[in-house]
Structures are given as structure tokens and as C-alpha cells.
Amino acid sequence: MISPNRNTTTRKDGHEDEAVIIERIKQKARERRLRAAQALASRMQRLPDGSLVFLRFSRGQRIQHQILIVSFTTLAITGLLQRYSQLYLVGLIINGVFGGIETLRTIHHLFALVFILEAVYHTWEIIMSWLVKRDSMAMLPTIQDLDDLVQMIKFNLNKTDRRPLFDRFSVEGKMEYWALLWGGVVMIITGIIQWFPTLITKILPGYAIPVSRAIHSWEAVLATLAILTWHLYHTVIKERNQSIFTGYMTEKELQESHPLEYRRIQGAHAYLQKIAEEGREEVFEHIQGDGQHEVAQVG
Amino acid sequence: MAYQFLNHFLVAAFLFGISWSSEEGNKPRAGYQLDTARNILLIGTKPVYAQGTEPNRDCLMCHSNPDFKGSLQNGNLVSLYVPNGEYQQSVHGQAGLECVACHISISSYPHHQHQQINCLECHDQHGGTPNSFTTLRVQLLYADQRAMTLAINEACRTCHSKEFEIAGDSAHVKVLNSGNTSAPVCVDCHGSHGITHPDQPRSRISNTCAQCHQSVYSSYEASVHGAALESESNPDVPTCVNCHGVHSVRGPRDPFFRNDSIAICGSCHSDKALMSKYGISTAVFVSYLNDFHGRTVDLFRRQEAGIASNKAVCFDCHGIHNIRKPDDPLSSVYPDNLRHTCQQCHKDANIRFPQAWLSHYLPTWRDTPVLYGVNLFYRVLIPLIVGGFIFYIGLDVRKRWSDNRRVVLQALAEEKLDEYDFT
């Protein structure tokens, strides 16, 4: 970070010159830009057969989703059976398959614990990634998402020829994510209230328990229906998207469903290429310490 | 001697015939059979003057003597006096049943060979008419009075086999079979010679049970059900048998009884016509079944294994025999007592805890606005959201179905994106 600028001397009062400060900020911005470009570019990898794949989900995210599949499904089944326990057939299933309501509740509590721990971990991860690592906040909803949603409906109604171009996360995916996040928070809070009624009434009025019961029960129906319609259609039925299991999308898949993300990664590559050609090695080498070697290989 | 032998043989043959025929189900008129048989086979033992008159007169010849007593094997005396008026008023007497219809082992006179009665105890002289009653004593084979009761009680089976079988599975007979002969049998509840309808008046039922279950009765007597029964002969309130069963009386600690108890209470308290007479809401049962406790117990009830649920059933909160109106300050569900009632299970329940229970009312906009609002909110929200999802998906499917897929991809590929800034 040795600047060729002559204004490296400090002033008499011990403060640095404004020009030095401005230069340092610019330098920081360049570094951040480079870091972002490298992070983006590293998502693209060339397979031995020459085709390109694009990283969608990290290993940690994939594991989280697999755990979520198991815990959510179990919770939904064991929970909805309780909601509809008065039906004759449901009673047979609870008593016959699960060996009674007490066992069913134990299973529900066990997987609730898994769900809660995962939620806590995910919250921690978000805080770390957004506030500490300063990663992209691509999942945050924007006005553009609302526009995309309207455009998509218009396009599907043949009112316009322009299909909205999705970025890293489509509006459909974002809706799913935020619905899950909101629903998860609601379910955890209302679930814990029911789980420890005597403890909770030390803080909250007793009325909170039947209200929680109602919310928990309804929200379960909503969440299950949302997964069965919205999520399954957009991931499994529409495009047989396997990236949550493999971690990767093919070039064609990404181009089709997330064209802006595809273009963004390409742009990052172009940028890295450009600075490499311009010979701004000093910057490049400085960043290289972080182990971002794939950039050069892929580019 | 030869005559005595023949007589013994004939008695044995006759007894065999009676027991055989009773097993065949030839029951109600056993007395007539007996009479006929006796006329043919045992003619020599039958007092001549009794023929053609009322059938029980033979028996009453001795048994109408208020001082007629039998000596049991343990030395105690037991009265063998049968108040005829009482019997005539009884259901059996009015049906014209003979003594021997129940006393099936009685076939001869005197009933047992060793019961030698001196003729002159009754008759002044040979062939004379009986004296006014004198002190009569016979030796009985029974060990004690209870053994006698239990032995004669078996005769009920002859006609009332169904009730007898059902009672065989009852808690009472289980106690009896375990060796406690004090456990009640038919005659202990129904009486013996003076049997009348056990539920006339209805309060007679609970008074019958009270003979043994005195402390239970006194708490029942003070309850909303018992008070109505005793004071106004209310035809709707449950007596003991409405909850515990008539002959099938199950032990209250039987797991099935606990799980089924909700249906026992529910059978009346969900009956709209019955409850409207007293202004009681029928939502009590539905609201219970909708709630945590009720749901759980209901599922246990539907289990075949017969495991009692530890979740509250009606009587855990409302009391068992001492059920009172919820607005009675002595009631366990009176607002001030609720916390203590909850604490029976929820040990560390505080004063706010009972508020969790909405007093058996279904949520309404006025009483429980938040709960009602939540239900309404989701009832509107879920169809809207899921309907919106399905609408959106439907449009997407239609478009994909109709468009040439390659055209879409081509359009995407041609989009001008070169200027796009990745940051």
C-alpha cells in the first residue's frame, strides 16, 4: 500500500493530509471492488469436459437445507396430525403408526429442537456474513422484486414480451425465503409458549397460550401449503433445479433462470482480466494473500 | 329302610333333573316343573291339604313364622321368616313366581334329611291342624349367613343370565373372586324377597350404593347432581349407575374408565335438548375436545391398549362426586380456586396460568377478540395467499405450455447486458 504520491508526510499537528486520506479511501474501495469481483468470479468453475458450472449454494447452506427438509417435513406431519387428530383416520395413524400421541409429541419436540438450533445457526451466519464479512445482501427484498413479480405476471398473461431478468435470487425464491424466515420465527415463538406454559405465564398473560395455539396451528397449514405449491413448483416442477443438492447450476440453467447473476459473474471476470492486463500487480498481489487463485485459472 | 333309600334315590334323580333342565334354559316356570315332579315322585312327602291352593302355601306353612330360625354351622342363628306380604308386593311375587323358582335346591320336606323336625312342634296331635306359631329351629348346612346368601344368590342366574354375566366382569365380583365375601352380590343391592324396581324413585339407586359407599354418597349428595336428585327428584341428573354402569360397575381406577369418562360426561353435556332445559352450554364438550387435554385423552381413548392418559379429564378439574356449579365458591373451578386446581398437575402454575383456559367457550369476537381475530385472519389469509400462489403458478404453466421454449431462451440470450456493472 505504498503510494507514489508525495503527500505522505504528516502535518505538524500530527494529522494526515486530506489528500492522503482520500487516496486511502479510494484504495480501500478498489480493494473491496477487487475482492467482490474475485468472490463473484470464484463461483464459476470449469469442469474437465470444458463446460461451465456456477456455484449457487455453499456446502454449509446445502447441509442446512437438507436438515431443514427433514425437520420441516417431520414437524409438518407430526403437527398436522395433531391438528386433525379428531378425524377417525388420523386417530388410527397416530395410535397405530406413531404409537400414541405422547410419542408423536416427543418426536415433534425433538425435531422442533433441531429446527430451533438451525434457526439460531442461520441467524448467526447471516449476522456474520452481512455485518462482519460484508458479503452481498442479495437476499434482501427490493423494489425491483415487486416490479419483477408484476412483470412476470404480465409476461405470462402475454401483456408484454419482456420477461423479467432475475438476479442471484429471483423474486420467487426471495418470497419463499422470507416466508420461511417469518413463519419460522412465528412457529418457534408460539411453539415454545405452548411447550412451557407455566414458565411462559410468568412473563406473559395466560391468554397467550390459546392464541399461540391458534397461530401455530394455522401457520402450519399455511407453511405446508406454501411449500407444496410455491416452493415445489418453482424448484422441482418448473425447472428440476438440483442446485440445492449439488451446489451448482449449469451455464444454461443459470442463464435462463438468473440471467443477471450470470452476467454479473461474467462482468467480474472481465474486470479481473482488465486489471491483470493493465498490470496493476501491486493490488493484485495484495489480495492474492487471501488465496483467490481460481480467478486466474478460470479467467 | 328300603323306603328311605328309594326316597334318597328319587331326590337325587330329581335334583339332577332340575339342574339339567335349568341348564337347558327351561327357566321361568321351574316351580311348576318342580311341583309336578314332586307330585309324581315325592307324593309321600307332600302335605295333602296344600294341593290345589296357592303354590307357596307349603313353604309359608313354616316360613311365615316370625320366630322360625335356622342354626348355622358357626352356631349363629339366622331368621328363616319370609314376610309374605312383602313378597307378594315384589316383582317376583306379582309375576306369580313360586319360592322354589329361586330356592332351586329345595326339593323335599324337610329340606335335608338331618333337619328332623318333630311333627308335634306344629301339630297338636297326629292329623291335627297346625298350632299357632311356635319357636322353630332347624340345623342348616351353611357355614355362616354370608355363605347362605352367596349360595342362594346363584339362583338369580337362572333367569337373569345376561345381567349375571355382565356383573361377572364388574369390580364388585372381582373383589368377591379375590376372596372378599363381603363384596356385593345381586341380593345385596336388589334385596331378596321384597325385590321391586330399583329405580323407583330414582334416588333409591344412589341410596342403595350409599349402603356401602357412604362417604362417596355424602359428597355426591352435596353436589349439583346429587342435590337435584335428592331434593327435586330430577329425572335428568346422573345417579351412581349412569356414570359407573349398572351391573358392569367398573373400578374408577380402571384406565378405560378414566379415558371413557369424558364420553360419560359428554353424553349429557353435549345433548342440546337436555342442556337447554338448564341453560348449560353444550360447547363444553366440543371446546374440551378441541383443547390440548381433550385431544390427548380422546386419542388415548381410541387406543386399544387401555393406557390411562395423565392429561386432565372432566373430573380432574370439576371434582368427582362433589361436582358443583362453576359459580359456586366451593367449586374447584370457581375462578378463585382455579389456580389451586391447575396446580394439581402444573405444580408451578402462577395466578396468570388459569387465564390460558377460556372457560369452555368457543372463541367469540366479544369475549376473546384476539383469538377470534387470529382465526379470522388466517381464514382469510390462507385462501388469499395460497390462491395467489396457484394463480401465479397457473399462469406460468400456461405460458410455458403455449410458448416455444427456445424462443424464450433466445430472447434472453439476446438481451443487452454487456454494460452491466457487476457490483
Side-chain angles (χ1 to χ4, degrees), chain A:
Chain A
M1 212 189 299
I2 304 130
S3 171
N5 200 307
R6 59 189 161 79
N7 295 333
T8 49
T9 51
T10 53
R11 296 195 311 206
K12 274 180 194 167
D13 56 3
H15 289 283
E16 285 175 309
D17 268 352
E18 272 178 25
V20 178
I21 297 167
I22 290 168
E23 183 55 36
R24 186 177 298 143
I25 291 169
K26 278 183 178 172
Q27 180 68 16
K28 283 261 183 203
R30 274 199 295 275
E31 282 173 23
R32 203 174 294 137
R33 194 173 163 80
L34 186 64
R35 226 182 259 274
Q38 286 175 329
L40 270 173
S42 71
R43 287 190 197 144
M44 184 169 92
Q45 287 180 25
R46 196 175 289 281
L47 291 181
D49 64 358
S51 64
L52 289 174
V53 287
F54 294 82
L55 185 71
R56 293 286 295 163
F57 301 105
S58 71
R59 174 185 284 264
Q61 288 167 331
R62 267 141 49 201
I63 291 172
Q64 276 184 62
H65 189 264
Q66 314 329 351
I67 294 172
L68 188 64
I69 291 178
V70 175
S71 62
F72 183 93
T73 311
T74 315
L75 286 171
I77 291 171
T78 55
L80 289 175
L81 282 174
Q82 290 182 62
R83 178 180 164 89
Y84 297 107
S85 70
Q86 285 171 346
L87 300 177
Y88 175 72
L89 201 67
V90 174
L92 285 187
I93 294 170
I94 292 175
N95 285 331
V97 179
F98 289 90
I101 179 69
E102 300 288 356
T103 322
L104 189 79
R105 282 207 182 104
T106 309
I107 298 171
H108 194 78
H109 288 166
L110 219 65
F111 280 87
L113 208 62
V114 173
F115 188 86
I116 291 169
L117 289 176
E118 191 178 359
V120 169
Y121 175 78
H122 187 71
T123 312
W124 174 249
E125 200 187 30
I126 290 172
I127 292 169
M128 291 305 282
S129 110
W130 285 1
L131 301 182
V132 181
K133 287 198 234 160
R134 303 272 178 184
D135 281 352
S136 111
M137 300 191 187
M139 197 46 111
L140 282 179
T142 60
I143 295 293
Q144 181 64 41
D145 291 324
L146 200 65
D147 189 53
D148 282 354
L149 195 69
V150 175
Q151 279 300 319
M152 195 70 198
I153 293 169
K154 276 187 178 171
F155 175 73
N156 282 339
L157 284 168
N158 297 323
K159 299 271 190 244
T160 171
D161 286 341
R162 216 195 111 239
R163 191 175 184 267
L165 303 170
F166 294 133
D167 205 332
R168 174 156 175 72
F169 299 114
S170 66
V171 62
E172 294 149 357
K174 283 187 187 180
M175 277 167 66
E176 183 61 53
Y177 176 81
W178 287 103
L180 174 75
L181 215 68
W182 164 249
V185 169
V186 168
M187 291 308 264
I188 288 172
I189 291 172
T190 54
I192 287 175
I193 289 175
Q194 291 178 82
W195 198 350
F196 305 102
T198 49
L199 214 63
I200 289 300
T201 44
K202 297 203 190 307
I203 313 158
L204 295 173
Y207 192 33
I209 295 167
V211 170
S212 296
R213 230 174 94 78
I215 295 176
H216 198 84
S217 177
W218 281 114
E219 191 72 32
V221 174
L222 179 58
T224 309
L225 288 177
I227 293 291
L228 287 178
T229 56
W230 193 254
H231 189 52
L232 282 190
Y233 176 74
H234 288 298
T235 56
V236 179
I237 297 168
K238 190 170 82 180
E239 52 196 27
R240 243 171 250 113
N241 181 349
Q242 292 169 11
S243 58
I244 199 68
F245 302 107
T246 63
Y248 290 93
M249 260 190 183
T250 62
E251 189 174 13
K252 206 172 179 181
E253 281 172 344
L254 191 74
Q255 234 176 339
E256 186 189 342
S257 47
H258 301 277
L260 294 189
E261 163 86 346
Y262 176 74
R263 186 54 54 176
R264 188 193 294 276
I265 292 172
Q266 298 292 6
H269 266 291
Y271 175 76
L272 288 175
Q273 207 102 46
K274 199 178 82 188
I275 53 170
E277 282 163 12
E278 281 174 6
R280 288 161 65 180
E281 283 86 4
E282 82 279 13
V283 180
F284 191 61
E285 274 163 16
H286 175 73
I287 302 297
Q288 245 181 354
D290 294 355
Q292 305 279 1
H293 289 285
E294 307 96 313
V295 184
Q297 289 164 14
V298 174

Side-chain angles (χ1 to χ4, degrees), chain B residues 189 197-211 217 220-221 225-242:
Chain B
C189 299
H197 290 288
D199 58 346
Q200 286 172 3
R202 278 186 98 221
S203 59
R204 203 180 143 195
I205 300 170
S206 47
N207 283 306
T208 301
C209 303
Q211 291 169 17
Y217 176 74
Y220 169 77
E221 199 181 15
H225 294 142
L229 180 73
E230 298 296 337
S231 65
E232 55 192 78
S233 297
N234 185 303
D236 298 323
V237 292
T239 64
C240 309
V241 296
N242 294 104

Side-chain angles (χ1 to χ4, degrees), chain B residues 258-267 269 284-285 288 293-294 297 311-320 323 332-333 341 360:
Chain B
R258 179 176 171 79
N259 294 343
D260 283 346
S261 67
I262 59 168
I264 294 172
C265 302
S267 65
H269 282 276
V284 289
F285 194 44
Y288 171 74
H293 294 146
V297 176
K311 303 296 177 287
V313 297
C314 310
F315 59 67
D316 288 324
C317 301
H318 290 273
I320 304 174
I323 300 170
S332 51
V333 293
T341 305
H360 279 301

